[in-house]
Amino acid sequence: MSDKFDVIVIGGGPAGYHAAIRAAQLGLKTAVIDAFVGKDGKQALGGTCLNVGCIPSKALLDSSKQFYNLAHNLPAHGISVENAKVDLKTFIGRKEKIVKQFTGGVAQLFKANKITSYFGTGKLLGRDKSGGNAVEITGNDGEKQTISATNVILASGSVPIELPFAKFDNKFIIDNAGALELDAVPKRLGVIGAGVIGLELGSVWRRLGAEVTVLEALPDFLGTADADIAKVASKEFGKLGLNIKLGAKLTKAEVKKSEVQLTYNDKDGDHDIVVDKLLVAVGRRAYTDGLLAEDSGVKLDERGRIIVDEHCHTGVDGVWAVGDAVRGPMLAHKGFEEGMAVAEWIAGKAGHVNYDTIPWVIYTEPEIAWAGKTEKQLKEEGIPYKVGSFPFAAIGRAVAMNEAIGQVKMIAHAETDRILGVHMVGPGVSELIAECVVAMEFKGSAEDMARIIHAHPTLSEAVHEAALSVDKRAIHKGN
Ligand code: FAD
Ligand code: NAD
């Protein structure tokens, strides 16, 4: 036994590193084990989010938006640029620099907080003689050692789901990591799944000129979003040139002569298409391979997720689990909050995670954001509600930006006026959703929001007007 800790965290992604830093802040002797290997062969902390998820995808979304705007937004401002080109090496290189900056930043935070960092794979063995939980580390050099802690936090994250008939070869059939580092813009890009990754990364390559065909198995577009918001988004993605086919299930994908030949099935039968690259983005699964000794006592559900209670406790003394590896949405900020809450519960404090106000953001153009319930959910639950909405077309700032697309929709309880959900599509909504989450967290009403002063002219006036509209008193539209 080489060392004894108060807390060992297995997994240094968003959920794990937040847990570790908060535990260290609370005076607990903390270690993190993470296996992620960066491009230089060294440890790269930050998990999926910093290495191949949130941050690199947003870097490419922002770069590709700048390029797309040159031809599609700036001319309306009287600005024209001829022969604009993308240097893909710089485009991808910028993203890689950002990734390195942030993964290195986590390593520095660990140092500053006196967290011991191990590079390798952790396996929960179970109780040891000292009454703690033993964890075996297999270093990336193959060396094994065992350490122990009173508390172990499992934060092993998730990996992309692989379709048995379209296995990743990382050359033609790619996952999110592959789609973040193509060395040329594919002429034809196929995307399986019109979910968050399909729409974000499909947009990146479409904006650079790829012909993008998205096959979505479900008949409805963005079924988890509010139907009005999904309708606007679908129209805008059509204008961008994303060719989204709904109710289209991939049945075969074969790589032949440097092309991928696809067969999909929809209500009209079988269809064949050929693409140069195929991005498979049909969801992610919790990753627990090699994480648990057979007799660790930790249980998995039917989808392979670690079973936990409402306090992220596994039921095994001193063993907790957080982030993508457990139930709930697979979002970095959900993992942040669970990680910090578990550290606080371990330290005897009052941790807190409100699963009802987790915001969702899709960083496409226009952006999509929501928190709380949709109209469909409220109808199913028999909860009486009233709706207010306001279009960005009537917001001076949005028109001045030439981005007057979309709307804010607010749903409040019909009797108490409490805000139950806010749904948005349009410019800057990734930021606008935050004030709605605050209002919902404080159990605010539409009336509260309507009485709060919003600066003029800003995009946030759309939130204010939507709140006024709940009570049929929006100023800049008919009610
Ligand atoms: P992960 O980030 O997956 O980290 C787990 C870490 O544990 C990894 O480093 C892994 O190598 C390591 N590990 C696993 N098993 C072991 C073991 N046995 N021993 C040691 N180490 C181990 N979410 C958002 O909120 N906003 C976004 O904009 C967003 N964009 C995304 C874009 C893409 C392309 C993808 C793929 C995901 C995106 N997500 C986004 C989701 C987000 O990345 C995840 O929800 C988040 O990373 C989950 O955090 P986590 O700590 O639970 O797991
Ligand atoms: P997703 O669940 O968002 O979407 C997957 C889509 O694929 C679904 O619409 C599903 O119906 C479809 N699908 C499944 N099997 C199919 C098949 N055989 N043929 C055609 N379509 C099929 O999953 P994702 O896009 O892979 O992303 C995974 C997770 O990563 C997201 O759920 C989200 O939690 C996280 N993420 C978040 C962000 C963000 O917050 N902006 C960005 C990217 C990823």
Side-chain angles (χ1 to χ4, degrees), residues 5 36 40 63 78 100 123 128 168 202 212 240 243 252 254 266 287 293 323 341 349 353 390 397 457 465 467:
F5 294 91
F36 204 100
D40 53 6
S63 295
K100 214 163 164 42
K123 181 187 214 170
D128 63 13
F168 299 119
V212 180
L240 169 66
N243 180 8
K252 201 165 137 196
E254 269 184 328
D266 67 11
Y287 180 73
K349 294 194 170 294
V353 183
F390 198 80
R397 186 74 193 284
E465 287 270 22

PDB file of all heavy atoms in Angstrom, residues 5 36 40 63 78 100 123 128 168 202 212 240 243 252 254 266 287 293 323 341 349 353 390 397 457 465 467:
ATOM      1  N   PHE A   5      -5.489   8.053   1.254  1.00  0.00           N
ATOM      2  CA  PHE A   5      -6.116   9.368   1.013  1.00  0.00           C
ATOM      3  C   PHE A   5      -7.479   9.441   1.712  1.00  0.00           C
ATOM      4  O   PHE A   5      -8.052   8.414   2.091  1.00  0.00           O
ATOM      5  CB  PHE A   5      -6.310   9.579  -0.493  1.00  0.00           C
ATOM      6  CG  PHE A   5      -5.016   9.685  -1.254  1.00  0.00           C
ATOM      7  CD1 PHE A   5      -4.419   8.546  -1.794  1.00  0.00           C
ATOM      8  CD2 PHE A   5      -4.384  10.908  -1.414  1.00  0.00           C
ATOM      9  CE1 PHE A   5      -3.214   8.641  -2.483  1.00  0.00           C
ATOM     10  CE2 PHE A   5      -3.188  11.013  -2.109  1.00  0.00           C
ATOM     11  CZ  PHE A   5      -2.596   9.874  -2.638  1.00  0.00           C
ATOM     12  N   PHE A  36      -6.665   9.383 -19.665  1.00  0.00           N
ATOM     13  CA  PHE A  36      -6.734  10.002 -21.005  1.00  0.00           C
ATOM     14  C   PHE A  36      -5.339  10.393 -21.500  1.00  0.00           C
ATOM     15  O   PHE A  36      -4.585  11.072 -20.817  1.00  0.00           O
ATOM     16  CB  PHE A  36      -7.637  11.241 -20.986  1.00  0.00           C
ATOM     17  CG  PHE A  36      -8.197  11.575 -22.344  1.00  0.00           C
ATOM     18  CD1 PHE A  36      -9.489  11.219 -22.681  1.00  0.00           C
ATOM     19  CD2 PHE A  36      -7.411  12.199 -23.303  1.00  0.00           C
ATOM     20  CE1 PHE A  36     -10.001  11.498 -23.943  1.00  0.00           C
ATOM     21  CE2 PHE A  36      -7.910  12.482 -24.565  1.00  0.00           C
ATOM     22  CZ  PHE A  36      -9.204  12.130 -24.886  1.00  0.00           C
ATOM     23  N   ASP A  40       0.338  14.329 -27.408  1.00  0.00           N
ATOM     24  CA  ASP A  40       1.784  14.200 -27.196  1.00  0.00           C
ATOM     25  C   ASP A  40       2.143  12.941 -26.415  1.00  0.00           C
ATOM     26  O   ASP A  40       3.285  12.764 -26.001  1.00  0.00           O
ATOM     27  CB  ASP A  40       2.299  15.452 -26.464  1.00  0.00           C
ATOM     28  CG  ASP A  40       1.506  15.724 -25.176  1.00  0.00           C
ATOM     29  OD1 ASP A  40       0.652  14.887 -24.814  1.00  0.00           O
ATOM     30  OD2 ASP A  40       1.739  16.766 -24.547  1.00  0.00           O
ATOM     31  N   SER A  63     -14.919  29.177 -35.216  1.00  0.00           N
ATOM     32  CA  SER A  63     -14.109  29.461 -36.416  1.00  0.00           C
ATOM     33  C   SER A  63     -14.968  29.339 -37.679  1.00  0.00           C
ATOM     34  O   SER A  63     -14.908  30.198 -38.563  1.00  0.00           O
ATOM     35  CB  SER A  63     -12.942  28.477 -36.518  1.00  0.00           C
ATOM     36  OG  SER A  63     -12.071  28.656 -35.442  1.00  0.00           O
ATOM     37  N   GLY A  78     -22.946  45.652 -45.776  1.00  0.00           N
ATOM     38  CA  GLY A  78     -22.197  46.421 -46.774  1.00  0.00           C
ATOM     39  C   GLY A  78     -20.726  46.072 -46.801  1.00  0.00           C
ATOM     40  O   GLY A  78     -19.897  46.824 -47.301  1.00  0.00           O
ATOM     41  N   LYS A 100      -5.050  22.289 -25.331  1.00  0.00           N
ATOM     42  CA  LYS A 100      -3.833  22.158 -24.518  1.00  0.00           C
ATOM     43  C   LYS A 100      -3.833  23.162 -23.362  1.00  0.00           C
ATOM     44  O   LYS A 100      -3.461  22.831 -22.237  1.00  0.00           O
ATOM     45  CB  LYS A 100      -2.602  22.365 -25.414  1.00  0.00           C
ATOM     46  CG  LYS A 100      -1.433  21.513 -24.982  1.00  0.00           C
ATOM     47  CD  LYS A 100      -0.388  21.399 -26.062  1.00  0.00           C
ATOM     48  CE  LYS A 100       0.923  20.894 -25.582  1.00  0.00           C
ATOM     49  NZ  LYS A 100       1.036  19.856 -24.674  1.00  0.00           N
ATOM     50  N   LYS A 123      -9.010   0.908 -10.759  1.00  0.00           N
ATOM     51  CA  LYS A 123     -10.022  -0.146 -10.578  1.00  0.00           C
ATOM     52  C   LYS A 123     -10.376  -0.222  -9.105  1.00  0.00           C
ATOM     53  O   LYS A 123      -9.468  -0.352  -8.260  1.00  0.00           O
ATOM     54  CB  LYS A 123      -9.423  -1.477 -11.050  1.00  0.00           C
ATOM     55  CG  LYS A 123     -10.377  -2.641 -10.937  1.00  0.00           C
ATOM     56  CD  LYS A 123      -9.633  -3.921 -11.275  1.00  0.00           C
ATOM     57  CE  LYS A 123     -10.537  -4.891 -11.973  1.00  0.00           C
ATOM     58  NZ  LYS A 123      -9.805  -6.022 -12.505  1.00  0.00           N
ATOM     59  N   ASP A 128     -10.427  -2.638   2.189  1.00  0.00           N
ATOM     60  CA  ASP A 128      -9.142  -3.215   2.581  1.00  0.00           C
ATOM     61  C   ASP A 128      -9.085  -3.350   4.103  1.00  0.00           C
ATOM     62  O   ASP A 128     -10.046  -3.011   4.799  1.00  0.00           O
ATOM     63  CB  ASP A 128      -7.969  -2.395   2.014  1.00  0.00           C
ATOM     64  CG  ASP A 128      -7.932  -0.979   2.562  1.00  0.00           C
ATOM     65  OD1 ASP A 128      -8.645  -0.707   3.556  1.00  0.00           O
ATOM     66  OD2 ASP A 128      -7.210  -0.145   2.006  1.00  0.00           O
ATOM     67  N   PHE A 168     -16.459   2.065 -36.099  1.00  0.00           N
ATOM     68  CA  PHE A 168     -15.491   3.146 -36.296  1.00  0.00           C
ATOM     69  C   PHE A 168     -14.181   2.578 -36.823  1.00  0.00           C
ATOM     70  O   PHE A 168     -13.630   1.632 -36.247  1.00  0.00           O
ATOM     71  CB  PHE A 168     -15.207   3.865 -34.968  1.00  0.00           C
ATOM     72  CG  PHE A 168     -16.431   4.496 -34.355  1.00  0.00           C
ATOM     73  CD1 PHE A 168     -16.891   4.111 -33.096  1.00  0.00           C
ATOM     74  CD2 PHE A 168     -17.127   5.498 -35.023  1.00  0.00           C
ATOM     75  CE1 PHE A 168     -18.016   4.701 -32.525  1.00  0.00           C
ATOM     76  CE2 PHE A 168     -18.262   6.092 -34.464  1.00  0.00           C
ATOM     77  CZ  PHE A 168     -18.700   5.686 -33.212  1.00  0.00           C
ATOM     78  N   GLY A 202     -22.041  18.612 -37.704  1.00  0.00           N
ATOM     79  CA  GLY A 202     -22.560  18.702 -39.082  1.00  0.00           C
ATOM     80  C   GLY A 202     -22.521  20.154 -39.553  1.00  0.00           C
ATOM     81  O   GLY A 202     -22.154  20.453 -40.697  1.00  0.00           O
ATOM     82  N   VAL A 212     -23.768  17.992 -46.537  1.00  0.00           N
ATOM     83  CA  VAL A 212     -24.003  17.184 -45.331  1.00  0.00           C
ATOM     84  C   VAL A 212     -25.397  16.556 -45.359  1.00  0.00           C
ATOM     85  O   VAL A 212     -26.407  17.272 -45.476  1.00  0.00           O
ATOM     86  CB  VAL A 212     -23.811  18.035 -44.050  1.00  0.00           C
ATOM     87  CG1 VAL A 212     -24.062  17.197 -42.808  1.00  0.00           C
ATOM     88  CG2 VAL A 212     -22.413  18.650 -44.011  1.00  0.00           C
ATOM     89  N   LEU A 240     -29.273  26.560 -44.031  1.00  0.00           N
ATOM     90  CA  LEU A 240     -27.819  26.356 -43.998  1.00  0.00           C
ATOM     91  C   LEU A 240     -27.412  25.296 -45.026  1.00  0.00           C
ATOM     92  O   LEU A 240     -26.282  25.301 -45.519  1.00  0.00           O
ATOM     93  CB  LEU A 240     -27.394  25.920 -42.577  1.00  0.00           C
ATOM     94  CG  LEU A 240     -25.980  25.405 -42.367  1.00  0.00           C
ATOM     95  CD1 LEU A 240     -24.958  26.526 -42.606  1.00  0.00           C
ATOM     96  CD2 LEU A 240     -25.792  24.854 -40.948  1.00  0.00           C
ATOM     97  N   ASN A 243     -28.984  18.630 -44.977  1.00  0.00           N
ATOM     98  CA  ASN A 243     -30.041  17.812 -45.557  1.00  0.00           C
ATOM     99  C   ASN A 243     -30.445  16.756 -44.523  1.00  0.00           C
ATOM    100  O   ASN A 243     -29.815  15.705 -44.437  1.00  0.00           O
ATOM    101  CB  ASN A 243     -29.507  17.199 -46.854  1.00  0.00           C
ATOM    102  CG  ASN A 243     -30.538  16.332 -47.538  1.00  0.00           C
ATOM    103  OD1 ASN A 243     -31.703  16.295 -47.140  1.00  0.00           O
ATOM    104  ND2 ASN A 243     -30.115  15.617 -48.574  1.00  0.00           N
ATOM    105  N   LYS A 252     -26.967  -0.258 -43.282  1.00  0.00           N
ATOM    106  CA  LYS A 252     -25.706  -0.817 -43.787  1.00  0.00           C
ATOM    107  C   LYS A 252     -24.733   0.311 -44.103  1.00  0.00           C
ATOM    108  O   LYS A 252     -25.141   1.367 -44.607  1.00  0.00           O
ATOM    109  CB  LYS A 252     -26.014  -1.580 -45.084  1.00  0.00           C
ATOM    110  CG  LYS A 252     -24.986  -2.607 -45.465  1.00  0.00           C
ATOM    111  CD  LYS A 252     -25.589  -3.518 -46.517  1.00  0.00           C
ATOM    112  CE  LYS A 252     -24.592  -3.793 -47.622  1.00  0.00           C
ATOM    113  NZ  LYS A 252     -25.199  -4.329 -48.823  1.00  0.00           N
ATOM    114  N   GLU A 254     -20.766   0.447 -45.813  1.00  0.00           N
ATOM    115  CA  GLU A 254     -19.602  -0.316 -46.281  1.00  0.00           C
ATOM    116  C   GLU A 254     -18.579   0.631 -46.886  1.00  0.00           C
ATOM    117  O   GLU A 254     -18.925   1.481 -47.720  1.00  0.00           O
ATOM    118  CB  GLU A 254     -20.037  -1.300 -47.366  1.00  0.00           C
ATOM    119  CG  GLU A 254     -20.425  -2.641 -46.799  1.00  0.00           C
ATOM    120  CD  GLU A 254     -20.770  -3.627 -47.912  1.00  0.00           C
ATOM    121  OE1 GLU A 254     -21.289  -3.203 -48.958  1.00  0.00           O
ATOM    122  OE2 GLU A 254     -20.500  -4.805 -47.708  1.00  0.00           O
ATOM    123  N   ASP A 266     -36.558   4.083 -44.823  1.00  0.00           N
ATOM    124  CA  ASP A 266     -37.585   4.985 -44.274  1.00  0.00           C
ATOM    125  C   ASP A 266     -38.953   4.492 -44.722  1.00  0.00           C
ATOM    126  O   ASP A 266     -39.063   3.376 -45.265  1.00  0.00           O
ATOM    127  CB  ASP A 266     -37.306   6.454 -44.647  1.00  0.00           C
ATOM    128  CG  ASP A 266     -37.447   6.713 -46.146  1.00  0.00           C
ATOM    129  OD1 ASP A 266     -37.956   5.825 -46.871  1.00  0.00           O
ATOM    130  OD2 ASP A 266     -37.057   7.809 -46.590  1.00  0.00           O
ATOM    131  N   TYR A 287     -19.162   4.606 -19.461  1.00  0.00           N
ATOM    132  CA  TYR A 287     -17.950   3.791 -19.634  1.00  0.00           C
ATOM    133  C   TYR A 287     -17.507   3.262 -18.275  1.00  0.00           C
ATOM    134  O   TYR A 287     -17.129   4.059 -17.390  1.00  0.00           O
ATOM    135  CB  TYR A 287     -16.853   4.654 -20.259  1.00  0.00           C
ATOM    136  CG  TYR A 287     -15.566   3.912 -20.484  1.00  0.00           C
ATOM    137  CD1 TYR A 287     -15.465   2.972 -21.506  1.00  0.00           C
ATOM    138  CD2 TYR A 287     -14.457   4.129 -19.674  1.00  0.00           C
ATOM    139  CE1 TYR A 287     -14.282   2.275 -21.717  1.00  0.00           C
ATOM    140  CE2 TYR A 287     -13.277   3.434 -19.879  1.00  0.00           C
ATOM    141  CZ  TYR A 287     -13.200   2.508 -20.896  1.00  0.00           C
ATOM    142  OH  TYR A 287     -12.036   1.810 -21.094  1.00  0.00           O
ATOM    143  N   ALA A 293     -13.864  -4.205  -9.649  1.00  0.00           N
ATOM    144  CA  ALA A 293     -13.583  -5.622  -9.378  1.00  0.00           C
ATOM    145  C   ALA A 293     -14.933  -6.339  -9.267  1.00  0.00           C
ATOM    146  O   ALA A 293     -15.932  -5.707  -8.897  1.00  0.00           O
ATOM    147  CB  ALA A 293     -12.803  -5.751  -8.076  1.00  0.00           C
ATOM    148  N   GLY A 323     -21.484  12.236 -12.868  1.00  0.00           N
ATOM    149  CA  GLY A 323     -21.245  12.584 -14.277  1.00  0.00           C
ATOM    150  C   GLY A 323     -21.916  11.641 -15.258  1.00  0.00           C
ATOM    151  O   GLY A 323     -22.956  11.033 -14.970  1.00  0.00           O
ATOM    152  N   ALA A 341     -21.042  18.559  -5.252  1.00  0.00           N
ATOM    153  CA  ALA A 341     -21.989  18.184  -4.188  1.00  0.00           C
ATOM    154  C   ALA A 341     -21.474  16.971  -3.415  1.00  0.00           C
ATOM    155  O   ALA A 341     -21.541  16.944  -2.180  1.00  0.00           O
ATOM    156  CB  ALA A 341     -23.365  17.890  -4.793  1.00  0.00           C
ATOM    157  N   LYS A 349     -21.062  18.523   4.618  1.00  0.00           N
ATOM    158  CA  LYS A 349     -21.759  19.782   4.313  1.00  0.00           C
ATOM    159  C   LYS A 349     -23.020  19.505   3.483  1.00  0.00           C
ATOM    160  O   LYS A 349     -23.261  18.372   3.078  1.00  0.00           O
ATOM    161  CB  LYS A 349     -20.819  20.704   3.524  1.00  0.00           C
ATOM    162  CG  LYS A 349     -19.622  21.156   4.340  1.00  0.00           C
ATOM    163  CD  LYS A 349     -18.922  22.309   3.679  1.00  0.00           C
ATOM    164  CE  LYS A 349     -17.898  22.919   4.590  1.00  0.00           C
ATOM    165  NZ  LYS A 349     -18.463  23.568   5.782  1.00  0.00           N
ATOM    166  N   VAL A 353     -27.879  19.556  -5.794  1.00  0.00           N
ATOM    167  CA  VAL A 353     -28.008  19.493  -7.257  1.00  0.00           C
ATOM    168  C   VAL A 353     -29.503  19.541  -7.567  1.00  0.00           C
ATOM    169  O   VAL A 353     -30.257  18.682  -7.113  1.00  0.00           O
ATOM    170  CB  VAL A 353     -27.438  18.177  -7.857  1.00  0.00           C
ATOM    171  CG1 VAL A 353     -27.526  18.211  -9.376  1.00  0.00           C
ATOM    172  CG2 VAL A 353     -26.011  17.916  -7.415  1.00  0.00           C
ATOM    173  N   PHE A 390     -41.932  35.725 -27.584  1.00  0.00           N
ATOM    174  CA  PHE A 390     -41.556  36.980 -28.224  1.00  0.00           C
ATOM    175  C   PHE A 390     -40.510  36.720 -29.302  1.00  0.00           C
ATOM    176  O   PHE A 390     -39.515  36.035 -29.051  1.00  0.00           O
ATOM    177  CB  PHE A 390     -41.008  37.981 -27.197  1.00  0.00           C
ATOM    178  CG  PHE A 390     -41.026  39.376 -27.728  1.00  0.00           C
ATOM    179  CD1 PHE A 390     -42.186  40.132 -27.732  1.00  0.00           C
ATOM    180  CD2 PHE A 390     -39.880  39.927 -28.294  1.00  0.00           C
ATOM    181  CE1 PHE A 390     -42.211  41.408 -28.262  1.00  0.00           C
ATOM    182  CE2 PHE A 390     -39.899  41.203 -28.830  1.00  0.00           C
ATOM    183  CZ  PHE A 390     -41.062  41.946 -28.820  1.00  0.00           C
ATOM    184  N   ARG A 397     -31.896  45.174 -31.035  1.00  0.00           N
ATOM    185  CA  ARG A 397     -30.492  44.751 -31.053  1.00  0.00           C
ATOM    186  C   ARG A 397     -30.283  43.601 -32.045  1.00  0.00           C
ATOM    187  O   ARG A 397     -29.299  43.575 -32.782  1.00  0.00           O
ATOM    188  CB  ARG A 397     -30.080  44.307 -29.639  1.00  0.00           C
ATOM    189  CG  ARG A 397     -28.610  43.983 -29.510  1.00  0.00           C
ATOM    190  CD  ARG A 397     -27.760  45.255 -29.508  1.00  0.00           C
ATOM    191  NE  ARG A 397     -26.342  44.978 -29.695  1.00  0.00           N
ATOM    192  CZ  ARG A 397     -25.539  44.500 -28.758  1.00  0.00           C
ATOM    193  NH1 ARG A 397     -26.006  44.254 -27.544  1.00  0.00           N
ATOM    194  NH2 ARG A 397     -24.270  44.276 -29.019  1.00  0.00           N
ATOM    195  N   PRO A 457     -30.664  48.763 -25.829  1.00  0.00           N
ATOM    196  CA  PRO A 457     -31.199  47.630 -26.568  1.00  0.00           C
ATOM    197  C   PRO A 457     -30.313  46.391 -26.377  1.00  0.00           C
ATOM    198  O   PRO A 457     -29.129  46.397 -26.683  1.00  0.00           O
ATOM    199  CB  PRO A 457     -31.113  48.110 -28.017  1.00  0.00           C
ATOM    200  CG  PRO A 457     -29.924  49.036 -28.041  1.00  0.00           C
ATOM    201  CD  PRO A 457     -29.760  49.585 -26.653  1.00  0.00           C
ATOM    202  N   GLU A 465     -39.845  40.581 -22.652  1.00  0.00           N
ATOM    203  CA  GLU A 465     -41.106  40.680 -23.409  1.00  0.00           C
ATOM    204  C   GLU A 465     -41.865  39.344 -23.386  1.00  0.00           C
ATOM    205  O   GLU A 465     -43.101  39.339 -23.333  1.00  0.00           O
ATOM    206  CB  GLU A 465     -40.817  41.097 -24.860  1.00  0.00           C
ATOM    207  CG  GLU A 465     -40.403  42.564 -25.006  1.00  0.00           C
ATOM    208  CD  GLU A 465     -41.604  43.506 -25.236  1.00  0.00           C
ATOM    209  OE1 GLU A 465     -42.736  43.147 -24.892  1.00  0.00           O
ATOM    210  OE2 GLU A 465     -41.375  44.614 -25.765  1.00  0.00           O
ATOM    211  N   ALA A 467     -41.889  37.300 -20.928  1.00  0.00           N
ATOM    212  CA  ALA A 467     -42.509  37.258 -19.591  1.00  0.00           C
ATOM    213  C   ALA A 467     -43.754  38.147 -19.576  1.00  0.00           C
ATOM    214  O   ALA A 467     -44.809  37.752 -19.047  1.00  0.00           O
ATOM    215  CB  ALA A 467     -41.507  37.711 -18.538  1.00  0.00           C
TER     216      ALA A 467
END
